[in-house]
């Protein structure tokens, strides 16, 4: 039942937004009572936190696996970009909620998610630093700013990326990597 509540909530939050979706809307969508909701979640914010935590935990696990692989920094960066696009493709509603609805978390819940987001960003920054050190990436780069730029470009794609569109996740990842590695200036 907890999974069913979460699944229906994700759809409602995607369609109506977190603040416009009531607990009554959620329980009505599954034919349950508010008591059932409160058996599994202490509040609507706790439900939102669980959705955020599930999404970022999976991303961190996938990032850890990619970063621990053998291979070049470029290959790992490409794998990270593709993984993020694939997660947006396969879990579009969760991605949308993760990026759009964070403003509805507060206190310790917000702080925990922000820490996990920062841990993910730091993983990208560390990879950029390593790439600079081994000579794969330009030595003048600011690894901190570069990690924000890459994640900003990729994460914003939840707004416009359509997996059924004219470009696949792999093709978008290739284009992003070309922009990151070569820029847009004509050689």
């Amino acid at each position: 039942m907890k999974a069913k509540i979460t699944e229906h909530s994700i759809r409602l939050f995607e369609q109506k937004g977190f603040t416009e979706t009531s607990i009554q809307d959620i329980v009505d969508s599954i034919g349950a009572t508010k008591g059932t909701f409160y058996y599994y979640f202490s509040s609507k914010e706790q439900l939102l936190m669980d959705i955020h935590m599930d999404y970022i935990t999976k991303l961190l696990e996938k990032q850890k696996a990619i970063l621990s692989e053998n291979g070049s920094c470029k290959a790992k960066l490409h794998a990270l970009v593709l993984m993020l696009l694939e997660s947006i493709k396969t879990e579009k509603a969760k991605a949308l909620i993760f990026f759009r609805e964070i403003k509805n978390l507060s206190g310790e819940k917000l702080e925990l998610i922000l820490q996990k987001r920062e841990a993910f960003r730091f993983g990208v920054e560390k990879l950029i630093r390593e790439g600079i050190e081994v000579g794969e990436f330009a030595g003048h780069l600011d690894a901190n700013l570069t990690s924000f730029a890459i994640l900003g470009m990729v994460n914003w794609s939840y707004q416009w990326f359509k997996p059924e569109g004219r470009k696949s996740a792999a093709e978008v990842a290739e284009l992003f990597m070309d922009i990151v590695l070569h820029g847009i200036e004509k050689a």
Side-chain angles (χ1 to χ4, degrees), residues 78-94:
H78 182 272
L80 284 173
V81 168
L82 180 58
M83 180 270 291
L84 289 169
L85 286 166
E86 288 288 343
S87 76
I88 290 169
K89 172 184 163 185
T90 59
E91 298 191 73
K92 187 165 178 72
K94 275 187 184 178

Side-chain angles (χ1 to χ4, degrees), residues 60-167:
L60 284 164
E61 289 168 359
K62 290 175 184 177
Q63 181 190 52
K64 183 178 178 181
I66 289 168
L67 295 178
S68 68
E69 293 173 0
N70 290 327
S72 70
C73 294
K74 288 179 189 177
K76 290 177 185 180
L77 184 59
H78 182 272
L80 284 173
V81 168
L82 180 58
M83 180 270 291
L84 289 169
L85 286 166
E86 288 288 343
S87 76
I88 290 169
K89 172 184 163 185
T90 59
E91 298 191 73
K92 187 165 178 72
K94 275 187 184 178
L96 182 140
I97 291 163
F98 184 76
F99 294 113
R100 185 182 72 191
E101 302 295 349
I102 191 169
K103 65 184 180 273
N104 293 298
L105 293 175
S106 61
E108 291 176 8
K109 291 176 181 70
L110 176 61
E111 186 59 34
L112 182 58
I113 295 302
L114 290 176
Q115 287 173 5
K116 289 188 174 286
R117 283 179 165 210
E118 183 63 10
F120 189 93
R121 190 204 58 78
F122 185 70
V124 175
E125 179 181 335
K126 186 176 172 189
L127 179 61
I128 300 296
R129 285 188 198 288
E130 182 183 333
I132 292 168
E133 289 170 11
V134 300
E136 286 186 55
F137 303 141
H140 70 278
L141 288 176
D142 178 320
N144 179 45
L145 186 56
T146 302
S147 69
F148 277 112
I150 292 167
L151 289 173
M153 180 172 60
V154 177
N155 289 342
W156 188 253
S157 66
Y158 86 90
Q159 286 279 359
W160 55 264
F161 178 60
K162 294 183 179 19
E164 68 285 349
R166 62 184 188 94
K167 298 264 187 210

Side-chain angles (χ1 to χ4, degrees), residues 15-84:
Q15 294 165 2
K16 296 172 66 170
F18 176 80
T19 56
E20 297 301 316
T21 301
S22 67
I23 292 173
Q24 191 65 52
D25 292 334
I26 295 166
V27 296
D28 286 349
S29 76
I30 60 171
T33 65
K34 284 186 179 180
T36 302
F37 178 91
Y38 286 113
Y39 179 79
Y40 294 102
F41 301 99
S42 59
S43 65
K44 194 171 72 162
E45 185 183 8
Q46 183 61 54
L47 169 61
L48 182 63
M49 174 64 172
D50 285 5
I51 294 167
H52 273 75
M53 187 62 77
D54 180 62
Y55 189 76
I56 190 64
T57 299
K58 287 178 182 172
L59 291 181
L60 284 164
E61 289 168 359
K62 290 175 184 177
Q63 181 190 52
K64 183 178 178 181
I66 289 168
L67 295 178
S68 68
E69 293 173 0
N70 290 327
S72 70
C73 294
K74 288 179 189 177
K76 290 177 185 180
L77 184 59
H78 182 272
L80 284 173
V81 168
L82 180 58
M83 180 270 291
L84 289 169

